[in-house]
Amino acid sequence: MGFFTELLLLPLAPVRGVSWIAEQIQDQVDYRLNDPGVIRAQIDEIDAAFERDEITEAERDEQQEVLLQRLVGGPQAEPGPGTGGPA
């Protein structure tokens, strides 16, 4: 870009910076929600909660199914309540 173009776009620099930060945050959220290691750890936590009688077998199966869909389906699968994702 030329000098004058940069000069004209200078007032928009904070907006571009915030936009870039938002994209970086979204990338990190996507990575953490769909990281196989994190999903496997959540499945282990659900199993442990079931063994401690904190959740029922039906709840365990439902939560594990959501996690397995995220593991297999990747970013298009949405987390549900009780799976470590947003409720």
Side-chain angles (χ1 to χ4, degrees):
M1 287 190 203
F3 174 74
F4 290 111
T5 305
E6 285 291 326
L7 198 58
L8 288 173
L9 294 178
L10 188 60
L12 297 177
V15 173
R16 289 187 295 186
V18 169
S19 175
W20 180 83
I21 290 172
E23 289 173 11
Q24 298 303 311
I25 291 171
Q26 183 63 45
D27 290 345
Q28 283 296 312
V29 168
D30 288 342
Y31 173 76
R32 290 185 182 188
L33 281 178
N34 298 306
D35 179 33
V38 171
I39 293 173
R40 286 188 188 105
Q42 290 174 339
I43 289 173
D44 291 342
E45 289 175 20
I46 291 169
D47 284 337
F50 174 71
E51 290 174 8
R52 292 187 305 264
D53 292 326
E54 294 175 358
I55 60 174
T56 65
E57 185 175 358
E59 291 171 325
R60 179 195 66 180
D61 293 344
E62 180 182 332
Q63 292 175 11
Q64 285 183 341
E65 180 63 31
V66 171
L67 289 170
L68 290 173
Q69 287 298 321
R70 280 181 30 209
L71 186 63
V72 173
Q76 65 272 17
E78 289 294 323
T83 60

